[in-house]
């Protein structure tokens, strides 16, 4: 029923506890990750005393603990029985003994170090007997009973939250008793023609889960069904995207004010259907805090194929993002076909991925692909900056009179060819030599019925052009509209830091969107060349960050400032992050198999930061924490997380854990973790996490970084990687290979059974890098990874 080759059935019909004991060595020899045990009914039918059954189960727990200590044991309560059918009297007459054993199993779980799973509450009627709905003989389960059993075990088998982990978390969610049986739901009821595309989408969702459904105008009598309907859903903002989702035992109803809301409800329903059997009863009323929830990819520098783009668009849709910002032109290359000017996309005028561009047909296909998923594609043609490719192709500089005429002609063609409401014109990182250039472009686009967006800080944009913030702080002008992208650039972020930062971000310095603050867009800029297109997703934490951004942009809220670390002092904030991280890890396992998803559990890592120790510029100098037998006293400073930023290279705008970091000092970080077994273990270890936009140097041979950082596991140094390009001087055309812990093989360290210690040495000399391409980001990452 699990359709998972990792799940092995070792049960035997008619077996008793002694039989399990005799076969247990064969199971333990395989060192399984988990064992699920349910035994005892047949023992009692043979009049084996309850105490004997209990002792046999306790012996099983002790044996597994001794022979395979890393195995998690889950002991299930013995299922209730019911004598009403008059069958299997020897079994169904043992209800009292079953209750007694289950009570003892629950009470002794901590003593024998197993997890107890209570099945009785779900399977019993109000008399404590096996409910007739789940059996036809009082002992054995029907198909419906097995579906419920799978549903109850599913989160334990896969290590998931007890209830489906929803991202983004709905604004209002109430779990109710009962379940909707998915496999009996063969009818999708929809009356409005406008919702037929959504009904067809839901039909495809159900088909992928093994349910063949038909779309009908009316609900069938006495059969379960799923209904999609338009109705009044009250929401404080963004009502067109709001929805209600009601799951009961007999039906599932999604109600929304518009088709977009129904689509959003289907995405939530898809997450509720996690075991393909039962859907937990619940009531959800939901709406987004921000109307603009965007994701930007830069294909000007590194081309991405249409299938890879569609993969990302599908994930956007799954998490209710609704803006695909498509950065098409750069100094490196112009990627959008303009039929009148084929030289723009000619190979000889591109510096990378020569000859790779998007045809008009491909662009139309992407626009429609987004529209089908209620996503607006926003093309960006960056003018007048980032335009060296244009100059190479056309032979004129954009801000010249001839260049302006050509650009106006191109924008006219783009506007008339593509049905998109917005066109992003860039406008940043350029010296404005023609003050009439940007006003002329925006005037033209507005006359052509397009809305415009430009970067801020940037050039002299029109008052009606939406500003997309990318750097500076400061007051906003009340007459302008804004999109937040500050501190949302993944190319500058460590993977673990990205989730922490984005989850904590207070987008646009406000709790929810308004006429002035439309929302936010997080961005993947990868300035450096890559060996293959997928490296952009391997080296930038696009998918983990997407989930954090989806949560924050939908939920709203957040915390003031630019935060790069988990805050150990704010318990409510820490609890909220841990709750989100658990859901994130669930989604990593369920929905990102085979996709790059650089994230590992980090909120349980507690550090003691010891220092500062003055090193007088000698980064090799050792201090007390490195001495044998050193026992750290009360922490000078607590920290939490797999990645800890002591001082960001944008300090003090982005805060690290040190309020007043000092040059020529050494800090140490100390932590402990438990291992059930001794032997080799995988770790993520890193001290640099090079930005993918700076041309930073690779570490020298035999070092972790150029600051003298080191890490000790149980008092022994962990050697740095054998770098593929040690000491490589930064160069935008030389791709990164293994410089980041998330895209190289994990470090292997030998752990011991029981408690293990990690000591991280963190010296620093100057906060000023050798040049602007090598900024000093005082940071470390050490994460013991879970077993695969």
């Amino acid at each position: 029923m699990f359709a998972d080759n990792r799940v092995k059935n070792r049960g035997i019909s008619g077996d008793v506890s002694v039989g399990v004991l005799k076969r247990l060595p064969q199971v333990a020899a395989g060192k399984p990750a988990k064992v699920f045990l349910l035994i005892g009914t047949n023992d009692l039918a043979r009049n084996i005393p309850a105490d004997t059954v209990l002792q046999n189960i306790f012996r099983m727990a002790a044996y597994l603990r001794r022979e395979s200590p890393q195995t998690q044991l889950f002991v299930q309560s013995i299922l209730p029985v019911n004598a009403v059918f008059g069958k299997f009297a020897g079994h169904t007459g043992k209800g009292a003994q079953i209750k007694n054993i289950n009570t003892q199993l629950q009470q002794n779980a901590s003593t024998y170090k197993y997890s107890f799973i209570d099945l009785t509450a779900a399977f019993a009627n109000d008399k404590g007997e096996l409910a007739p709905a789940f059996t036809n003989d009082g002992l054995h389960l029907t198909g419906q009973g097995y579906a419920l059993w799978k549903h109850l075990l599913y989160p334990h088998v896969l290590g998931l939250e007890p209830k489906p982990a929803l991202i983004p978390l709905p604004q209002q969610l109430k779990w109710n008793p009962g379940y909707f049986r998915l496999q009996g739901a063969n009818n999708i009821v929809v009356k409005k023609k406008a919702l037929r595309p959504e009904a067809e989408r839901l039909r495809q969702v159900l088909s992928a889960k093994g349910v063949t459904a038909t779309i009908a105008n009316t609900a069938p009598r006495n059969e379960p069904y799923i209904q999609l309907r338009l109705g009044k859903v009250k929401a404080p903002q963004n009502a067109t995207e709001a929805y209600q989702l009601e799951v009961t035992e007999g039906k599932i109803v999604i109600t929304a004010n518009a088709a977009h809301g129904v689509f959003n409800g289907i995405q939530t329903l898809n997450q509720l259907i996690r075991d393909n059997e039962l859907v937990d009863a619940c009531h959800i009323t939901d709406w987004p805090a921000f109307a603009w929830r965007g994701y930007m990819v830069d294909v000007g520098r590194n081309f991405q194929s249409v299938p890879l783009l569609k993969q990302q668009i599908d994930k956007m849709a799954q998490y209710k993002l609704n803006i695909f910002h498509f950065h098409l032109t750069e100094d490196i290359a112009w990627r959008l076909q303009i039929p009148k000017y084929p030289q723009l996309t000619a190979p000889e005028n591109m510096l990378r991925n020569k000859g790779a561009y998007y045809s008009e047909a491909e662009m139309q296909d992407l626009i429609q692909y987004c529209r089908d998923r209620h996503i607006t594609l926003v093309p960006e043609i960056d003018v007048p900056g980032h335009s060296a490719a244009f100059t190479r192709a056309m032979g004129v500089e954009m801000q010249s009179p001839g260049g302006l005429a050509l650009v106006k002609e191109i924008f006219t063609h783009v506007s008339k060819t593509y049905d998109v409401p917005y066109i992003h014109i860039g406008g940043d990182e350029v010296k404005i030599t023609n003050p009439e250039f940007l006003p002329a472009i925006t005037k033209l686009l507005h006359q052509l019925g397009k809305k415009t967006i430009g970067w801020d800080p940037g050039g002299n944009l029109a008052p009606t052009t939406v500003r997309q913030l990318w750097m500076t702080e400061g007051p906003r002008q009340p007459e302008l509209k804004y999109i937040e992208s500050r501190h949302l650039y993944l190319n500058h972020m460590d993977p673990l830091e990205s989730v922490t930062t984005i989850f904590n971000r207070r987008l646009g310095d406000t709790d929810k969107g308004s006429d002035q603050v439309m929302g936010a867009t997080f961005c993947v800029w990868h300035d450096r060349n890559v060996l293959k297109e997928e490296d952009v997703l391997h080296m930038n934490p696009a998918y983990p960050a997407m989930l954090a951004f989806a949560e924050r942009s939908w939920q709203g809220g957040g915390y003031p400032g630019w935060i790069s670390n988990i805050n150990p002092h704010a318990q409510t904030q820490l609890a909220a992050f841990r709750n989100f991280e658990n859901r994130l890890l669930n989604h990593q396992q369920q929905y990102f198999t085979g996709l790059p998803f650089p994230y590992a559990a980090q909120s349980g890592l507690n550090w003691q930061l010891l220092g500062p120790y003055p090193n007088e510029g000698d980064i090799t100098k050792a201090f007390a924490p490195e001495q044998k037998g050193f026992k750290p006293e009360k922490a000078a400073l607590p920290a939490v997380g797999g990645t800890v930023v002591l001082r960001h290279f944008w300090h003090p705008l982005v805060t690290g854990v040190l309020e007043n970091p000092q040059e020529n000092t050494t800090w140490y970080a100390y932590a402990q973790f438990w291992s059930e077994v001794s032997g080799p273990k995988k770790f993520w270890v890193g001290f640099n996490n090079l930005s993918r936009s700076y041309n930073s140097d690779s570490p020298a041979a035999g070092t972790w970084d150029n600051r003298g950082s080191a890490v000790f596991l149980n008092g022994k140094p962990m050697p740095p990687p054998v770098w593929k390009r040690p000491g490589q001087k930064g160069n935008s055309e030389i791709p990164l290979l293994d410089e980041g812990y998330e895209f190289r093989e994990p470090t292997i360290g030998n752990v011991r059974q029981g408690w293990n210690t990690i000591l991280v040495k963190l010296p620093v000399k100057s906060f000023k890098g050798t040049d602007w391409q090598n900024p000093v980001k005082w940071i470390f990452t050490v994460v013991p990874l879970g077993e695969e």
Side-chain angles (χ1 to χ4, degrees), residues 87-164:
K87 298 179 180 181
F88 298 101
H91 294 78
T92 59
K94 303 296 184 180
Q97 292 94 319
I98 289 174
K99 290 179 182 179
N100 176 50
I101 291 176
N102 288 342
T103 299
Q104 294 298 315
L105 288 176
Q106 185 170 17
Q107 291 176 352
N108 284 277
S110 60
T111 301
Y112 290 95
K113 295 181 170 56
Y114 58 78
S115 298
F116 178 75
I117 301 177
D118 178 21
L119 302 179
T120 303
F123 278 96
N125 59 19
D126 55 4
K127 295 180 181 179
E129 302 165 334
L130 182 59
F134 302 123
T135 183
N136 54 21
D137 61 14
L139 175 64
H140 299 99
L141 298 180
T142 60
Q144 188 173 347
Y146 272 98
L148 176 58
W149 193 4
K150 176 190 175 183
H151 183 75
L152 296 173
L153 291 188
Y154 191 85
H156 300 287
V157 170
L158 298 182
L160 305 176
E161 294 290 288
K163 293 290 188 182

Side-chain angles (χ1 to χ4, degrees), residues 286-415:
D286 202 12
W287 63 88
F290 291 93
W292 187 284
R293 306 179 303 283
Y295 171 56
M296 191 220 81
V297 297
D298 168 17
V299 294
R301 293 178 174 89
N302 290 289
F303 181 81
Q304 296 185 32
S305 65
V306 169
L308 185 61
L309 293 172
K310 287 183 175 181
Q311 176 200 115
Q312 295 166 79
I313 293 166
D314 283 341
K315 289 302 179 185
M316 290 177 62
Q318 186 176 343
Y319 293 99
K320 305 184 181 77
L321 302 187
N322 61 0
I323 300 293
F324 182 57
H325 180 163
F326 202 24
H327 184 85
L328 288 158
T329 66
E330 262 301 331
D331 292 333
I332 296 290
W334 182 288
R335 303 290 185 194
L336 180 62
Q337 181 187 32
I338 306 297
K340 185 176 180 180
Y341 299 111
Q343 62 267 42
L344 282 170
T345 48
E348 60 269 23
N349 293 321
M350 296 182 178
L351 303 182
R352 295 181 197 158
N353 313 123
K354 296 187 176 185
Y357 65 89
Y358 304 96
S359 68
E360 284 195 345
E362 288 173 321
M363 189 66 174
Q364 296 284 21
D365 176 53
L366 282 171
I367 291 169
Q368 188 61 47
Y369 196 83
C370 286
R371 185 179 292 122
D372 290 343
R373 290 152 181 79
H374 296 274
I375 294 171
T376 299
L377 188 148
V378 177
E380 180 181 356
I381 297 175
D382 207 341
V383 299
H386 299 262
S387 57
F390 173 91
T391 301
R392 288 193 298 273
M394 308 305 289
V396 295
E397 198 273 329
M398 268 192 184
Q399 295 190 70
S400 67
L404 174 58
L406 288 168
V407 172
K408 291 173 73 172
E409 189 176 356
I410 289 168
F411 272 121
T412 299
H413 171 78
V414 169
S415 298

Side-chain angles (χ1 to χ4, degrees), residues 10-30:
R10 290 293 180 261
I12 293 177
S13 178
D15 205 2
V16 292
S17 58
V18 171
V20 175
L21 267 171
K22 290 182 177 180
R23 294 185 290 113
L24 201 56
Q26 182 187 44
V27 172

Side-chain angles (χ1 to χ4, degrees), residues 581-592:
E581 182 181 70
N582 288 338
R583 288 183 280 124
L584 175 81
L585 293 168
N586 279 205
H587 281 245
Q588 178 181 17
Q589 179 177 343
Q590 290 178 275
Y591 306 119
F592 290 89

Side-chain angles (χ1 to χ4, degrees), residues 42-266:
N42 293 329
D43 291 75
L44 296 176
R46 296 183 184 188
N47 294 316
I48 296 173
D51 284 347
T52 302
V53 177
L54 281 167
Q55 290 307 313
N56 286 344
I57 292 174
F58 296 153
R59 287 171 63 193
M60 296 174 205
Y63 181 85
L64 274 175
R65 182 78 177 168
R66 182 176 67 252
E67 299 298 323
S68 185
Q70 78 274 28
T71 298
Q72 291 179 266
L73 175 61
F74 295 82
V75 176
Q76 303 163 75
S77 64
I78 301 175
L79 285 167
V81 291
N82 195 328
V84 71
F85 295 91
K87 298 179 180 181
F88 298 101
H91 294 78
T92 59
K94 303 296 184 180
Q97 292 94 319
I98 289 174
K99 290 179 182 179
N100 176 50
I101 291 176
N102 288 342
T103 299
Q104 294 298 315
L105 288 176
Q106 185 170 17
Q107 291 176 352
N108 284 277
S110 60
T111 301
Y112 290 95
K113 295 181 170 56
Y114 58 78
S115 298
F116 178 75
I117 301 177
D118 178 21
L119 302 179
T120 303
F123 278 96
N125 59 19
D126 55 4
K127 295 180 181 179
E129 302 165 334
L130 182 59
F134 302 123
T135 183
N136 54 21
D137 61 14
L139 175 64
H140 299 99
L141 298 180
T142 60
Q144 188 173 347
Y146 272 98
L148 176 58
W149 193 4
K150 176 190 175 183
H151 183 75
L152 296 173
L153 291 188
Y154 191 85
H156 300 287
V157 170
L158 298 182
L160 305 176
E161 294 290 288
K163 293 290 188 182
L166 303 180
I167 297 179
L169 189 68
Q171 301 287 358
Q172 297 175 5
L173 165 63
K174 180 185 178 184
W175 297 108
N176 295 321
Y179 314 93
F180 177 86
R181 190 181 179 196
L182 186 67
Q183 296 302 324
N186 300 316
N187 299 282
I188 300 171
V189 178
V190 57
K191 297 181 179 180
K192 295 288 186 180
K193 185 178 180 180
L195 296 184
R196 294 287 293 194
E198 312 311 329
E200 177 59 30
R201 181 169 301 279
L202 176 57
R203 191 189 65 79
Q204 294 172 8
V205 168
L206 295 176
S207 177
K209 298 179 183 299
V211 177
T212 301
T214 58
I215 301 173
N217 293 323
T218 58
R221 295 187 63 183
N222 302 320
E223 291 184 31
Y225 62 91
I226 304 175
Q227 183 176 10
L228 309 179
R229 58 187 293 268
L230 296 178
K232 182 63 176 177
V233 177
K234 292 184 178 180
Q237 65 262 352
N238 305 315
T240 57
E241 291 199 64
Y243 68 93
Q244 282 186 347
L245 173 57
E246 185 83 30
V247 179
T248 64
E249 293 186 356
K251 61 184 178 181
I252 296 175
V253 180
I254 297 175
T255 306
N257 299 311
H260 195 169
V262 171
F263 176 87
N264 290 335
I266 292 172

